[in-house]
Amino acid sequence: MEEMDNRLKGIINQKNILQLRENNGNQLANRQMDKPLPTTNLPEPCFVSREDEKMDILELLTKEENDGACVDPKVIPIVGMGGLGKTALAQQVYHHDRVANYFDVKAWVCVSDDFDVLAITKKILDTIKTNGNLSCEGKDLDWLHEKLNQHLARKKFLVVLDDVWNENYGNWTILMKPFQSGAKGSKIIVTTRNFRVAEIARADPILSNHCRKMLV
């Protein structure tokens, strides 16, 4: 009994560290409360102890690819618990001069728990489209994919998908279809709390310093 009690205490302690919550049917409501505002505005100027991580991501973003046969953009997942500054870190690199000078077009989408491929595609197209007369209202996914493909063709792009929860590989592959028309060196940043999301994107996650310490 004493051994079982100690094991339960250890599990509870790990639950608190990982900020896990009991699923009482209100999981969606809890996620909605945590949903970040869809903004790319920079956080406060004070950005303590994240400079090394920022420089690592900038290096990945602006590094020239050696694989001439690669058609898919490189995915860079930033993984960590809520409140660790994943979005703030992505904002820092999104607005950096090196990024502005390297990419032809950029787009930022706040995804959260509702991984609606049509809505996400529409937001990206709304951000990068050069023709102000192009309306996306009422269009189906095939039309949106075709137009996004045309706008990204032969361009080096950066797309940020902020706060992704999707664990459905089929949805991910559908979303990625138009991105294959982009130029070599295009990148996609994904911020997420879920390691499974990085696995679906087939990319090595970037961990915050706090997460590295927990895994040691």
Side-chain angles (χ1 to χ4, degrees), residues 93-106:
V93 298
Y94 186 83
H95 291 282
H96 199 277
D97 290 340
R98 284 176 59 181
V99 168
N101 295 329
Y102 185 78
F103 294 99
D104 300 316
V105 292
K106 299 189 302 177

Side-chain angles (χ1 to χ4, degrees), residues 82-115:
L84 290 183
K86 301 180 298 296
T87 297
L89 183 58
Q91 288 171 338
Q92 288 283 329
V93 298
Y94 186 83
H95 291 282
H96 199 277
D97 290 340
R98 284 176 59 181
V99 168
N101 295 329
Y102 185 78
F103 294 99
D104 300 316
V105 292
K106 299 189 302 177
W108 181 293
V109 179
C110 183
V111 178
S112 196
D113 55 276
D114 186 14
F115 197 85

